[in-house]
Amino acid sequence: MAELRPSDHIYSDRGSYCHHGIFVGEAKIANPNKQGKTRKLRHAVIHFRGIERNAGAGADGDGKAGGCRKCFHKAGDLGVVLTCMDCFRRGNALYRYEYDVSWITFNTTRNGSCSTWSCADPDTVIKRAYDFFHNQNFGQYNFYFNNCEHFATACKTGKPRCNQAAMGTGVAGVMVYKVARLVTKGILWKE
Ligand SMILES: [Zn+2]
């Protein structure tokens, strides 16, 4: 946990795919059950949720009708969402997406876990994430062309990019991105 910094692009491994987001640190959220009341979240994540491929098991928000007890997130909430860390990682190990790495490192790292792109300063990254969240203007979710990884890289670099879908399709993206397959190092959060 000590290593996690606000503005970090993080992801959790959900087996068949990875879910990406921007760790924003402490955040204040509105309490939908008590008008005018807010609540402080210690470890908030802004991420882009589309149609879940495995919506059944381990759904967000504890699967409760009222949503998550910590962040009020509901399983059906889609688009750019701000949630607690539990809703983001759903019990899975957490990793940081590395930027500014060399091509050699990139080639020996699991696909979708790092990039050779450089990223903006932390304040800019967090501001971009909040802007997308408040304005809900990141667009329609599309697993291949506009997914959670695109969202996080857009916050970090200013442009949406993705390694993950490239590997999933094995067609379009491979032309653009080098595919790497080894497991990445550096688990940041584990129970
Ligand atoms: Zn939550």
Side-chain angles (χ1 to χ4, degrees), residues 105-128:
T105 309
F106 182 58
N107 286 342
T108 55
T109 306
R110 178 175 169 161
N111 188 59
S113 70
C114 74
S115 77
T116 55
W117 313 306
S118 55
C119 57
D121 63 275
D123 290 347
T124 303
V125 172
I126 290 171
K127 186 185 178 307
R128 281 176 186 153

Side-chain angles (χ1 to χ4, degrees), residues 14 16-19 47-60 73-78 81 87-88 90 141 143 148:
R14 294 190 178 178
S16 59
Y17 73 108
C18 294
H19 189 57
H47 47 117
F48 187 44
R49 293 191 67 236
I51 298 149
E52 292 283 338
R53 297 210 295 177
N54 55 349
D60 291 8
H73 179 64
K74 291 193 178 86
D77 291 346
L78 300 177
V81 296
C87 286
F88 176 74
R90 289 194 202 161
Y141 186 94
F143 181 72
C148 54

